[in-house]
Amino acid sequence: MIRQCAKVVLAVFLGGIAGAALARYSAGFGIDEREMDARRSSASIETIRHSRSEGADFAVFCFGFLRGMAHGELGYSTTLNRPVADLIRERIAVTVAEICEGLALAIVASSVLAGLTAMRISRVLGAVSELVASVSLCVPVAILGYLCLLLRVAPFWAVAACTFPHLFRYTANLLDLADRKNHVIAARARGVSRFRLHTMHRLLPCVPELLATLSLVVSIAFGSTIPIEFATETPGLGQLAWQAASSRDLALLCVLTMFTAALVLSASGVAEVSRVWYFGERGAE
């Protein structure tokens, strides 16, 4: 657990600095669309340029940002004219709830459909499930967001639609592979009931792999919230990340990159620690 925490802290800082460097040295940094407004005076344009001078010297920015973090400050958003900490605090609950609800729905749907497919209760159900997973995988995430807006449903349905294909396909493949194992064939030959055969002999040995898959799906879920929240105008971290990337808000992008790295690595670390705790080193491998 200590090793996983150390990895998360190191990767978060390196990810934040790398994200800030990519934003700083990308084409068009320092250019504001407000400068193209012909109605503005030269003094107003100069004020806009001066307000966006932060990050011109990348080394100075990194030093100031890290010093501010040591004092509990996350910088100031030049785009939204507010402290970054206040923006994160206001929007984090919306995105976390969206991800949790979407993942819960996707996990339940994929587990049930993959289980019914593996138990071979209905071939039609398996074909329909595979078709739904394929269609969900092909539809762009932004389109799913606009569909939620048109159907007037919560955005977490779009998050569930984005993560369902990955969970369903991997779970179905694991269960199909487990069905060919010797202990499953022996249990079927001994007349073990269909439900016990599925839960104890197919599903339970696959739990370590399913935990690892779930940790990867967390990053997919968070990435999908960016176009979804932009399309549905949901005031969450995804919409904030879209605004920060569009305006090249260096401090805001740096913090959001660090948050993303912390979220993904924490999910991966929790999955690995859980596998070691429940199944030992052999299960973790």
Side-chain angles (χ1 to χ4, degrees):
M1 188 176 294
I2 295 176
R3 184 173 65 250
Q4 290 298 324
C5 291
K7 287 181 180 180
V8 169
V9 172
L10 180 61
V12 164
F13 278 101
L14 292 179
I17 298 300
L22 289 173
R24 168 61 185 86
Y25 295 107
S26 63
F29 178 80
I31 298 176
D32 196 311
E33 61 182 6
R34 293 176 295 177
E35 299 179 22
M36 303 178 185
D37 191 349
R39 297 172 296 178
R40 294 185 180 273
S41 62
S42 57
S44 177
I45 295 176
E46 188 63 28
T47 302
I48 293 174
R49 290 176 179 174
H50 180 71
S51 65
R52 298 186 62 85
S53 60
E54 182 185 17
D57 191 331
F58 185 68
V60 173
F61 168 79
C62 290
F63 178 76
F65 182 79
L66 294 177
R67 183 177 59 182
M69 285 193 64
H71 292 84
E73 299 177 1
L74 299 180
Y76 192 84
S77 173
T78 57
T79 303
L80 302 176
N81 294 321
R82 294 191 60 190
V84 175
D86 293 345
L87 295 171
I88 300 295
R89 191 180 304 112
E90 292 175 358
R91 296 171 179 252
I92 188 172
V94 176
T95 301
V96 170
E98 189 177 306
I99 292 175
C100 292
E101 293 172 353
L103 281 179
L105 181 60
I107 290 171
V108 172
S110 61
S111 300
V112 171
L113 293 177
L116 293 176
T117 302
M119 294 168 69
R120 294 178 175 83
I121 293 180
S122 173
R123 293 184 179 181
V124 176
L125 181 61
V128 171
S129 302
E130 185 67 29
L131 178 62
V132 171
S134 301
V135 171
S136 301
L137 194 62
C138 296
V139 176
V141 181
I143 299 299
L144 295 174
Y146 283 119
L147 287 176
C148 289
L149 189 63
L150 292 174
L151 298 176
R152 297 182 179 180
V153 297
F156 74 84
W157 286 93
V159 177
C162 292
T163 53
F164 168 77
H166 304 278
L167 289 171
F168 172 77
R169 286 176 177 272
Y170 194 76
T171 304
N173 291 336
L174 279 178
L175 294 177
D176 183 65
L177 182 62
D179 198 41
R180 305 171 189 175
K181 297 293 183 63
N182 292 332
H183 67 278
V184 177
I185 299 175
R188 187 184 296 109
R190 290 187 177 92
V192 176
S193 64
R194 182 179 295 180
F195 179 76
R196 181 177 176 83
L197 180 68
H198 174 68
T199 54
M200 302 302 297
H201 297 274
R202 286 199 195 103
L203 188 59
L204 189 60
C206 298
V207 170
E209 290 83 357
L210 294 176
L211 286 174
T213 306
L214 184 60
S215 65
L216 296 176
V217 173
V218 170
S219 61
I220 299 175
F222 181 78
S224 67
T225 60
I226 298 176
I228 290 172
E229 291 184 354
F230 174 78
T232 58
E233 297 183 353
T234 303
L237 292 181
Q239 186 189 60
L240 190 64
W242 186 287
Q243 294 173 347
S246 301
S247 59
R248 294 177 177 83
D249 195 327
L250 200 58
L252 189 54
L253 278 173
C254 185
V255 173
L256 289 174
T257 304
M258 296 175 71
F259 175 81
T260 304
L263 178 66
V264 174
L265 292 174
S266 297
S268 178
V270 169
E272 184 170 347
V273 170
S274 299
R275 282 181 286 151
V276 172
W277 187 40
Y278 283 108
F279 300 100
E281 292 293 339
R282 183 179 178 182
E285 295 174 359

